């Protein structure tokens, strides 16, 4: 067996082969190349295959670039800064891989892949984090996977997600969600809330404004407008808004490829919170129905802390909300490893500084725009 780094790739052949593996999704298919990580941050995609003689028995798509690139995405000099960051502050990412096609030798193949990555690729960067195995494959043993990664010095972090099977009748799907969910969906419909797909920058502006409001409520940094813009241009990302009397109350992104939809970037407005409007509940039910109608088999809510005793107040609320949508809790591990600890420490401190600088600059720009009577793109 040998691992080969491909210099050119037939995307159609890559995807057809990848979809043979249980749980293949957008992160291991060529559709990932449309994601902002590649198109905006300009990460370099790397394709690896493992061959046994002439037969491909496993494959992996990973990316190479800097994790702080996104912090500069809305700056005017972004295109000049980006190559420098990606070259000198390099890290690697991959998720839901590798895809292994020879199930009889699954763990043997995985160990060879991990060893190769550790010695030949990942060590060229500062660190790697949030490595995720193909967790939608119910037949793999997550403890064996953990043992393999830890053998090569990776740290394991237990995590989980709720995955709802939508390959069933709508009546069964409705019955499978929690009583609280059904009640709030009914109340949202009675209130006249409607769901609409985001199709232009004006609608996206409403979504982004809610994202800003959510970030302020949670006291976290605001995400890049250009990242949202690139998501709108991605043909494999769908974006939806729930509206109440013409006012946006919640938003949802969905990454759609393979047989699985991955939910992400949920937003709720201050208006929805203050008026107790259940637009996000109707949105979750809409996503299940939308996935079913478009031929998908699973909807993944993407990420919960599965250990109830270790949950923060925020994590507990997220867990309870995601649990009541009829999903099965899947437990798995994510993995990380630091190769250049001093550079990593510098990078961590730099991120803190840059986030503070970005916040100060954003407040300054708002004051300038307000002084000039500026009306922003999100109106």
């Amino acid at each position: 067996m040998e691992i080969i780094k491909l210099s050119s790739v037939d995307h159609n052949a890559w995807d057809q082969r990848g979809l043979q593996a249980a749980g293949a999704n957008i992160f291991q298919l060529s559709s990932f190349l449309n994601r902002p990580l590649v198109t905006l941050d300009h990460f370099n995609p790397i394709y690896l295959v493992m061959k046994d003689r002439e037969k491909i028995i496993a494959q992996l798509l990973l990316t190479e670039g800097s994790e702080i690139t996104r912090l500069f995405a809305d700056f005017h000099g972004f295109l000049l800064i980006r190559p420098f960051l990606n070259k000198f502050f390099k890290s690697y990412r991959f998720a839901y891989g590798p895809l292994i096609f020879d199930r009889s030798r699954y763990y043997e193949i995985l160990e060879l892949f991990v060893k190769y990555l550790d010695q030949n690729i990942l060590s060229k960067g500062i660190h790697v984090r949030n490595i995720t195995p193909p967790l939608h494959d119910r037949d793999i043993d997550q403890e064996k996977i953990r043992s393999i990664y830890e053998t090569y010095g990776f740290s394991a972090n237990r995590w989980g997600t709720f995955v709802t099977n939508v390959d069933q009748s709508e009546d069964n799907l409705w019955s499978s969600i929690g009583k609280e969910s059904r009640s709030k969906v009914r109340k949202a419909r009675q209130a006249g809330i409607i769901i609409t797909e985001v199709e232009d920058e004006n609608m996206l502006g409403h979504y982004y404004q809610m994202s800003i409001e959510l970030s302020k409520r949670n006291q976290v940094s605001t995400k890049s407008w250009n990242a949202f813009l690139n998501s709108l241009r991605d043909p494999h990302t769908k974006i939806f808004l729930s509206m109440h009397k013409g006012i946006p109350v919640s938003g949802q992104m969905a990454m759609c490829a393979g047989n699985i939809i991955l939910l992400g970037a949920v937003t709720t407005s201050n208006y929805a919170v203050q008026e107790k409007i259940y637009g996000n509940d109707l949105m979750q039910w809409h996503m299940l129905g939308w996935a079913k109608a478009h031929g998908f088999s699973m909807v993944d809510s993407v990420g919960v802390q599965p250990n109830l005793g270790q949950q923060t107040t925020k994590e507990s609320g997220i867990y309870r909300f995601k649990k009541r949508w009829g999903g099965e809790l899947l437990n798995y591990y994510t993995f990380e490893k630091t190769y250049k600890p001093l550079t990593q420490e510098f990078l961590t401190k730099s991120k803190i500084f840059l986030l503070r600088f970005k916040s100060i600059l954003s407040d300054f720009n708002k004051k300038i725009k307000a002084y000039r009577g500026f009306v922003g793109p999100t109106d």
Side-chain angles (χ1 to χ4, degrees), residues 94-356:
F94 71 87
Y96 305 100
L99 302 179
I100 297 173
F101 311 120
D102 186 345
R103 301 306 296 267
S104 65
R105 295 186 289 172
Y106 191 98
Y107 305 104
E108 174 191 0
I109 293 170
L110 176 63
E111 182 160 7
L112 290 174
F113 241 121
V114 173
K115 181 179 180 181
Y116 175 88
L117 289 168
D118 184 51
Q119 296 180 351
N120 298 282
I121 293 186
L122 305 183
S123 57
K124 297 177 182 178
I126 298 170
H127 69 181
V128 60
R129 61 189 180 90
N130 294 336
I131 294 175
T132 309
L135 59 100
H136 302 101
D137 184 347
R138 309 296 209 282
D139 294 330
I140 58 176
D141 187 330
Q142 297 292 338
E143 294 301 327
K144 286 185 178 179
I145 291 175
R146 178 186 61 80
S147 178
I148 289 170
Y149 274 99
E150 288 184 342
T151 297
Y152 292 91
F154 290 83
S155 299
N157 304 291
R158 190 181 174 210
W159 204 237
T161 189
F162 284 102
V163 178
T164 302
N165 171 26
V166 296
D167 190 16
Q168 55 182 310
S169 71
E170 185 172 336
D171 287 343
N172 288 342
L173 193 57
W174 177 252
S175 298
S176 72
I177 69 175
K179 182 179 179 180
E180 181 182 353
S181 295
R182 295 196 297 270
S183 174
K184 290 183 176 179
V185 167
R186 291 190 189 101
K187 289 179 180 179
R189 286 173 170 167
Q190 290 168 0
I193 294 175
I194 61 171
I195 307 293
T196 183
E197 186 172 346
V198 173
E199 296 180 340
D200 56 46
E201 288 187 30
N202 182 58
M203 295 177 69
L204 185 69
H206 293 303
Y207 187 103
Y208 185 61
Q209 180 60 40
M210 286 190 291
S211 173
I212 293 174
E213 292 174 1
L214 180 65
S215 295
K216 289 182 178 179
R217 291 200 306 270
N218 292 336
Q219 298 182 328
V220 297
S221 59
T222 303
K223 296 178 181 178
S224 159
W225 162 252
N226 276 318
F228 281 80
L229 198 57
N230 275 258
S231 293
L232 177 64
R233 295 166 180 166
D234 175 8
H236 301 282
T237 296
K238 300 297 180 182
I239 309 174
F240 299 90
L241 290 177
S242 67
M243 310 285 289
H244 180 246
K245 298 179 180 180
I247 302 173
V249 291
S250 76
Q252 180 73 69
M253 282 191 189
M255 293 174 281
C256 310
N259 298 317
I260 303 167
I261 285 182
L262 303 174
L263 301 181
V266 64
T267 63
T268 52
S269 67
N270 291 340
Y271 171 77
V273 174
Q274 293 163 2
E275 300 299 323
K276 296 183 179 180
I277 298 172
Y278 302 120
N280 192 31
D281 291 86
L282 183 61
M283 178 69 76
Q284 301 312 307
W285 174 246
H286 176 82
M287 294 312 306
L288 298 179
W290 190 92
K292 176 178 173 59
H294 288 79
F296 294 92
S297 62
M298 289 183 278
V299 175
D300 186 341
S301 64
V302 185
V304 292
Q305 167 56 263
N307 190 324
L308 301 183
Q310 295 181 1
Q311 290 177 349
T312 64
T313 301
K314 179 182 176 181
E315 288 172 340
S316 177
I318 292 172
Y319 183 94
R320 290 195 306 271
F321 180 82
K322 292 185 177 182
K323 181 181 179 180
R324 59 184 173 86
W325 295 100
E328 173 191 0
L329 177 62
L330 301 183
N331 289 280
Y332 61 96
Y333 293 95
T334 65
F335 304 97
E336 62 182 51
K337 184 175 180 178
T338 298
Y339 291 91
K340 299 175 182 177
L342 293 179
T343 308
Q344 170 64 13
E345 183 179 357
F346 171 77
L347 190 66
T348 300
K349 292 180 179 178
S350 297
K351 284 180 67 176
I352 296 172
F353 170 79
L354 289 171
L355 287 170
R356 288 176 180 171

Side-chain angles (χ1 to χ4, degrees), residues 61-94:
L61 170 59
L62 68 155
T63 52
E64 173 188 73
S66 172
E67 68 171 36
I68 63 172
T69 305
R70 184 72 58 85
L71 296 177
F72 296 90
D74 292 338
F75 285 24
H76 292 299
F78 175 62
L79 295 181
L80 297 175
I81 298 171
R82 186 175 64 184
F84 172 83
L85 296 175
N86 283 338
K87 181 176 181 180
F88 294 103
F89 296 94
K90 189 182 301 180
S91 61
Y92 294 87
R93 299 185 185 187
F94 71 87

